[in-house]
């Protein structure tokens, strides 16, 4: 038996890796999160069982502990189990937690990376999160932490030239207010809605006013001078 933890990529079904497709091709069962593009499930055999386990912003079908138990349960019954996650399993995907659960039962696993939306969404638009002239560092941070933690690990005083925030739209007003304690309120910002998908949309603003914009999820937030550079590309 083997469990494949697979990153499905940022949304566009064509951006999943070839290795991921090969693993899906032989899956007996697929446990999948909310995916921006369910066409990816078509790579699994028609008779493979597909089990939705939730994990959409503001909507949790199963708890992480329940998901861990379900993965183990399926692994003990099948030869090839696929755990399919949006983006990359190790970039705020809880893949590490699921591996630890598998290790407790001595279940073999393989991690197949995916293109994280933190890089894939801006790159697909021509927005460079690093640029020799304006940004030599980038930090990827979650905008929504586990509410059960005793204290926040996100302190927002990051010194990286570019900040990319995932899962932060629900807390965008609070997060940008915290960031403005360390960065100028006029720092350029953009939001990418539904990155790499047909209904993709880009919204420009600043730290001060981006929270006033109408934003639809799924979306990521990019902060820094690369946004100003990208506006020239966007308007080209």
């Amino acid at each position: 038996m083997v469990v494949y933890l697979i990153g499905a990529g940022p949304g566009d079904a064509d951006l999943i890796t070839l290795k991921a497709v090969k693993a899906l091709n032989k899956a007996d069962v697929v446990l999948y999160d909310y995916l921006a593009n369910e066409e990816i499930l078509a790579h699994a055999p028609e008779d493979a069982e597909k089990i939705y386990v939730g994990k959409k912003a503001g909507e949790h079908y199963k708890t992480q502990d329940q998901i861990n138990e379900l993965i183990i349960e399926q692994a003990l019954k099948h030869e090839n189990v696929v755990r399919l996650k949006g983006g990359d399993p190790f970039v705020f995907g809880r893949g590490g937690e699921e591996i630890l659960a598998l290790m407790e039962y001595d279940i073999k696993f393989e991690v197949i990376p995916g293109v994280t939306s933190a890089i894939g969404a801006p790159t697909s638009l021509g927005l460079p999160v690093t640029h020799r002239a304006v940004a030599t560092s980038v930090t990827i941070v979650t905008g929504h932490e586990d509410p059960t933690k005793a204290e926040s690990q996100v302190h927002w005083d990051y010194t990286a030239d570019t900040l990319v925030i995932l899962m932060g739209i629900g807390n965008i007003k609070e997060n940008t207010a915290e960031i403005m304690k360390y960065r100028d309120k006029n720092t350029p910002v953009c939001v990418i809605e539904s990155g790499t998908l047909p209904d993709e949309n880009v919204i420009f603003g600043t730290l001060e006013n981006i929270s006033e914009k109408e934003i639809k999820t799924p979306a990521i937030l990019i902060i820094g001078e690369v946004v100003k550079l990208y506006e020239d590309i966007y308007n080209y």
Side-chain angles (χ1 to χ4, degrees), residues 5-9 83-98 110-116:
L5 278 84
I6 295 177
R83 174 69 175 104
L84 186 63
K85 296 170 167 289
D88 181 276
F90 280 5
V91 181
F92 305 119
R94 300 193 180 184
E97 296 175 47
E98 293 172 1
E110 181 177 348
V111 181
I112 300 177
V115 178
T116 174

mmCIF file of all heavy atoms in Angstrom, residues 5-9 83-98 110-116:
data_model
loop_
_atom_site.group_PDB
_atom_site.id
_atom_site.type_symbol
_atom_site.label_atom_id
_atom_site.label_comp_id
_atom_site.label_asym_id
_atom_site.label_seq_id
_atom_site.Cartn_x
_atom_site.Cartn_y
_atom_site.Cartn_z
ATOM 1 N N LEU A 5 0.658 11.891 -1.587
ATOM 2 C CA LEU A 5 0.196 13.237 -1.261
ATOM 3 C C LEU A 5 0.562 14.129 -2.438
ATOM 4 O O LEU A 5 1.740 14.383 -2.697
ATOM 5 C CB LEU A 5 0.857 13.747 0.022
ATOM 6 C CG LEU A 5 0.217 13.272 1.323
ATOM 7 C CD1 LEU A 5 0.751 11.898 1.688
ATOM 8 C CD2 LEU A 5 0.488 14.250 2.448
ATOM 9 N N ILE A 6 -0.444 14.583 -3.142
ATOM 10 C CA ILE A 6 -0.230 15.262 -4.416
ATOM 11 C C ILE A 6 -0.711 16.705 -4.366
ATOM 12 O O ILE A 6 -1.819 17.003 -3.898
ATOM 13 C CB ILE A 6 -0.977 14.529 -5.549
ATOM 14 C CG1 ILE A 6 -0.393 13.125 -5.749
ATOM 15 C CG2 ILE A 6 -0.920 15.317 -6.849
ATOM 16 C CD1 ILE A 6 -1.124 12.311 -6.794
ATOM 17 N N GLY A 7 0.110 17.609 -4.884
ATOM 18 C CA GLY A 7 -0.299 18.986 -5.076
ATOM 19 C C GLY A 7 -0.951 19.147 -6.432
ATOM 20 O O GLY A 7 -0.362 18.790 -7.458
ATOM 21 N N ALA A 8 -2.177 19.679 -6.440
ATOM 22 C CA ALA A 8 -2.933 19.808 -7.687
ATOM 23 C C ALA A 8 -2.591 21.074 -8.459
ATOM 24 O O ALA A 8 -3.063 21.276 -9.574
ATOM 25 C CB ALA A 8 -4.436 19.785 -7.394
ATOM 26 N N GLY A 9 -1.771 21.955 -7.871
ATOM 27 C CA GLY A 9 -1.416 23.190 -8.559
ATOM 28 C C GLY A 9 -2.368 24.323 -8.234
ATOM 29 O O GLY A 9 -3.303 24.183 -7.442
ATOM 30 N N ARG A 83 -4.063 11.366 -1.994
ATOM 31 C CA ARG A 83 -4.562 12.504 -1.201
ATOM 32 C C ARG A 83 -4.239 13.742 -2.027
ATOM 33 O O ARG A 83 -3.074 14.144 -2.162
ATOM 34 C CB ARG A 83 -3.845 12.535 0.150
ATOM 35 C CG ARG A 83 -4.175 13.760 0.983
ATOM 36 C CD ARG A 83 -5.624 13.721 1.477
ATOM 37 N NE ARG A 83 -5.870 14.861 2.365
ATOM 38 C CZ ARG A 83 -6.552 15.950 1.998
ATOM 39 N NH1 ARG A 83 -7.042 16.044 0.764
ATOM 40 N NH2 ARG A 83 -6.742 16.923 2.855
ATOM 41 N N LEU A 84 -5.268 14.337 -2.622
ATOM 42 C CA LEU A 84 -5.097 15.427 -3.573
ATOM 43 C C LEU A 84 -5.418 16.762 -2.917
ATOM 44 O O LEU A 84 -6.512 16.957 -2.372
ATOM 45 C CB LEU A 84 -6.012 15.201 -4.777
ATOM 46 C CG LEU A 84 -5.881 16.145 -5.957
ATOM 47 C CD1 LEU A 84 -4.501 16.045 -6.604
ATOM 48 C CD2 LEU A 84 -6.968 15.831 -6.998
ATOM 49 N N LYS A 85 -4.443 17.685 -2.993
ATOM 50 C CA LYS A 85 -4.585 18.987 -2.353
ATOM 51 C C LYS A 85 -4.367 20.102 -3.369
ATOM 52 O O LYS A 85 -3.536 19.962 -4.261
ATOM 53 C CB LYS A 85 -3.542 19.146 -1.242
ATOM 54 C CG LYS A 85 -3.692 18.157 -0.092
ATOM 55 C CD LYS A 85 -2.481 18.246 0.808
ATOM 56 C CE LYS A 85 -2.709 17.526 2.112
ATOM 57 N NZ LYS A 85 -3.668 18.234 2.973
ATOM 58 N N GLY A 86 -5.062 21.199 -3.215
ATOM 59 C CA GLY A 86 -4.803 22.355 -4.060
ATOM 60 C C GLY A 86 -3.421 22.916 -3.795
ATOM 61 O O GLY A 86 -2.895 22.814 -2.683
ATOM 62 N N GLY A 87 -2.799 23.488 -4.818
ATOM 63 C CA GLY A 87 -1.471 24.087 -4.645
ATOM 64 C C GLY A 87 -0.413 23.039 -4.390
ATOM 65 O O GLY A 87 -0.286 22.067 -5.134
ATOM 66 N N ASP A 88 0.358 23.218 -3.326
ATOM 67 C CA ASP A 88 1.398 22.270 -2.930
ATOM 68 C C ASP A 88 1.050 21.726 -1.548
ATOM 69 O O ASP A 88 0.619 22.489 -0.676
ATOM 70 C CB ASP A 88 2.757 22.975 -2.887
ATOM 71 C CG ASP A 88 3.883 22.023 -2.501
ATOM 72 O OD1 ASP A 88 4.088 21.804 -1.290
ATOM 73 O OD2 ASP A 88 4.525 21.481 -3.414
ATOM 74 N N PRO A 89 1.236 20.420 -1.319
ATOM 75 C CA PRO A 89 0.827 19.855 -0.025
ATOM 76 C C PRO A 89 1.581 20.389 1.174
ATOM 77 O O PRO A 89 1.107 20.276 2.306
ATOM 78 C CB PRO A 89 1.052 18.349 -0.204
ATOM 79 C CG PRO A 89 1.874 18.180 -1.422
ATOM 80 C CD PRO A 89 1.724 19.396 -2.253
ATOM 81 N N PHE A 90 2.760 20.978 0.942
ATOM 82 C CA PHE A 90 3.555 21.461 2.061
ATOM 83 C C PHE A 90 3.573 22.983 2.193
ATOM 84 O O PHE A 90 4.316 23.520 3.004
ATOM 85 C CB PHE A 90 5.003 20.958 1.937
ATOM 86 C CG PHE A 90 5.193 19.533 2.393
ATOM 87 C CD1 PHE A 90 4.120 18.751 2.782
ATOM 88 C CD2 PHE A 90 6.454 18.971 2.413
ATOM 89 C CE1 PHE A 90 4.290 17.442 3.200
ATOM 90 C CE2 PHE A 90 6.647 17.656 2.829
ATOM 91 C CZ PHE A 90 5.557 16.887 3.230
ATOM 92 N N VAL A 91 2.774 23.677 1.394
ATOM 93 C CA VAL A 91 2.662 25.134 1.535
ATOM 94 C C VAL A 91 1.269 25.428 2.091
ATOM 95 O O VAL A 91 0.302 25.564 1.353
ATOM 96 C CB VAL A 91 2.894 25.869 0.197
ATOM 97 C CG1 VAL A 91 2.787 27.385 0.392
ATOM 98 C CG2 VAL A 91 4.261 25.513 -0.381
ATOM 99 N N PHE A 92 1.182 25.461 3.409
ATOM 100 C CA PHE A 92 -0.077 25.644 4.130
ATOM 101 C C PHE A 92 -1.121 24.611 3.713
ATOM 102 O O PHE A 92 -2.315 24.900 3.695
ATOM 103 C CB PHE A 92 -0.613 27.074 3.952
ATOM 104 C CG PHE A 92 0.376 28.122 4.356
ATOM 105 C CD1 PHE A 92 0.850 29.055 3.458
ATOM 106 C CD2 PHE A 92 0.868 28.149 5.645
ATOM 107 C CE1 PHE A 92 1.783 30.011 3.830
ATOM 108 C CE2 PHE A 92 1.803 29.107 6.037
ATOM 109 C CZ PHE A 92 2.264 30.036 5.126
ATOM 110 N N GLY A 93 -0.649 23.407 3.379
ATOM 111 C CA GLY A 93 -1.565 22.353 2.961
ATOM 112 C C GLY A 93 -1.732 21.244 3.977
ATOM 113 O O GLY A 93 -2.436 20.277 3.723
ATOM 114 N N ARG A 94 -1.077 21.358 5.125
ATOM 115 C CA ARG A 94 -1.172 20.367 6.198
ATOM 116 C C ARG A 94 -0.655 18.990 5.800
ATOM 117 O O ARG A 94 -0.989 17.977 6.420
ATOM 118 C CB ARG A 94 -2.607 20.262 6.724
ATOM 119 C CG ARG A 94 -3.133 21.573 7.301
ATOM 120 C CD ARG A 94 -4.404 21.380 8.086
ATOM 121 N NE ARG A 94 -4.874 22.645 8.628
ATOM 122 C CZ ARG A 94 -5.936 22.758 9.420
ATOM 123 N NH1 ARG A 94 -6.631 21.686 9.747
ATOM 124 N NH2 ARG A 94 -6.300 23.933 9.884
ATOM 125 N N GLY A 95 0.137 18.964 4.740
ATOM 126 C CA GLY A 95 0.723 17.697 4.324
ATOM 127 C C GLY A 95 1.614 17.095 5.393
ATOM 128 O O GLY A 95 1.662 15.874 5.575
ATOM 129 N N GLY A 96 2.320 17.949 6.120
ATOM 130 C CA GLY A 96 3.192 17.465 7.188
ATOM 131 C C GLY A 96 2.422 16.742 8.271
ATOM 132 O O GLY A 96 2.873 15.711 8.796
ATOM 133 N N GLU A 97 1.243 17.257 8.608
ATOM 134 C CA GLU A 97 0.415 16.617 9.624
ATOM 135 C C GLU A 97 -0.056 15.243 9.157
ATOM 136 O O GLU A 97 -0.096 14.285 9.940
ATOM 137 C CB GLU A 97 -0.792 17.499 9.946
ATOM 138 C CG GLU A 97 -0.439 18.843 10.569
ATOM 139 C CD GLU A 97 -1.655 19.730 10.746
ATOM 140 O OE1 GLU A 97 -2.678 19.224 11.254
ATOM 141 O OE2 GLU A 97 -1.593 20.915 10.378
ATOM 142 N N GLU A 98 -0.408 15.150 7.887
ATOM 143 C CA GLU A 98 -0.911 13.879 7.365
ATOM 144 C C GLU A 98 0.194 12.831 7.268
ATOM 145 O O GLU A 98 -0.035 11.643 7.526
ATOM 146 C CB GLU A 98 -1.590 14.131 6.015
ATOM 147 C CG GLU A 98 -2.859 14.959 6.187
ATOM 148 C CD GLU A 98 -3.501 15.423 4.911
ATOM 149 O OE1 GLU A 98 -2.993 15.093 3.820
ATOM 150 O OE2 GLU A 98 -4.518 16.131 4.994
ATOM 151 N N GLU A 110 4.393 8.845 -0.497
ATOM 152 C CA GLU A 110 5.239 9.610 -1.411
ATOM 153 C C GLU A 110 4.608 10.971 -1.613
ATOM 154 O O GLU A 110 3.391 11.071 -1.834
ATOM 155 C CB GLU A 110 5.386 8.904 -2.759
ATOM 156 C CG GLU A 110 6.277 9.660 -3.735
ATOM 157 C CD GLU A 110 6.486 8.938 -5.059
ATOM 158 O OE1 GLU A 110 6.145 7.753 -5.163
ATOM 159 O OE2 GLU A 110 6.981 9.600 -6.009
ATOM 160 N N VAL A 111 5.409 12.022 -1.529
ATOM 161 C CA VAL A 111 4.916 13.381 -1.735
ATOM 162 C C VAL A 111 5.257 13.827 -3.151
ATOM 163 O O VAL A 111 6.412 13.735 -3.577
ATOM 164 C CB VAL A 111 5.527 14.362 -0.721
ATOM 165 C CG1 VAL A 111 4.964 15.776 -0.947
ATOM 166 C CG2 VAL A 111 5.258 13.901 0.706
ATOM 167 N N ILE A 112 4.245 14.292 -3.872
ATOM 168 C CA ILE A 112 4.446 14.802 -5.229
ATOM 169 C C ILE A 112 4.119 16.296 -5.203
ATOM 170 O O ILE A 112 2.967 16.687 -5.010
ATOM 171 C CB ILE A 112 3.557 14.068 -6.242
ATOM 172 C CG1 ILE A 112 3.890 12.563 -6.237
ATOM 173 C CG2 ILE A 112 3.735 14.659 -7.643
ATOM 174 C CD1 ILE A 112 3.024 11.731 -7.149
ATOM 175 N N PRO A 113 5.144 17.136 -5.354
ATOM 176 C CA PRO A 113 4.927 18.584 -5.221
ATOM 177 C C PRO A 113 3.939 19.131 -6.241
ATOM 178 O O PRO A 113 3.722 18.543 -7.314
ATOM 179 C CB PRO A 113 6.327 19.170 -5.472
ATOM 180 C CG PRO A 113 7.274 18.036 -5.276
ATOM 181 C CD PRO A 113 6.536 16.803 -5.676
ATOM 182 N N GLY A 114 3.353 20.258 -5.898
ATOM 183 C CA GLY A 114 2.481 20.973 -6.815
ATOM 184 C C GLY A 114 2.928 22.417 -6.926
ATOM 185 O O GLY A 114 3.699 22.908 -6.096
ATOM 186 N N VAL A 115 2.459 23.119 -7.928
ATOM 187 C CA VAL A 115 2.771 24.540 -8.087
ATOM 188 C C VAL A 115 1.897 25.325 -7.111
ATOM 189 O O VAL A 115 0.671 25.313 -7.225
ATOM 190 C CB VAL A 115 2.499 25.008 -9.528
ATOM 191 C CG1 VAL A 115 2.790 26.502 -9.663
ATOM 192 C CG2 VAL A 115 3.315 24.202 -10.523
ATOM 193 N N THR A 116 2.515 25.955 -6.126
ATOM 194 C CA THR A 116 1.734 26.739 -5.176
ATOM 195 C C THR A 116 1.169 27.998 -5.836
ATOM 196 O O THR A 116 1.838 28.628 -6.665
ATOM 197 C CB THR A 116 2.585 27.133 -3.955
ATOM 198 O OG1 THR A 116 1.819 28.028 -3.123
ATOM 199 C CG2 THR A 116 3.877 27.817 -4.345
#
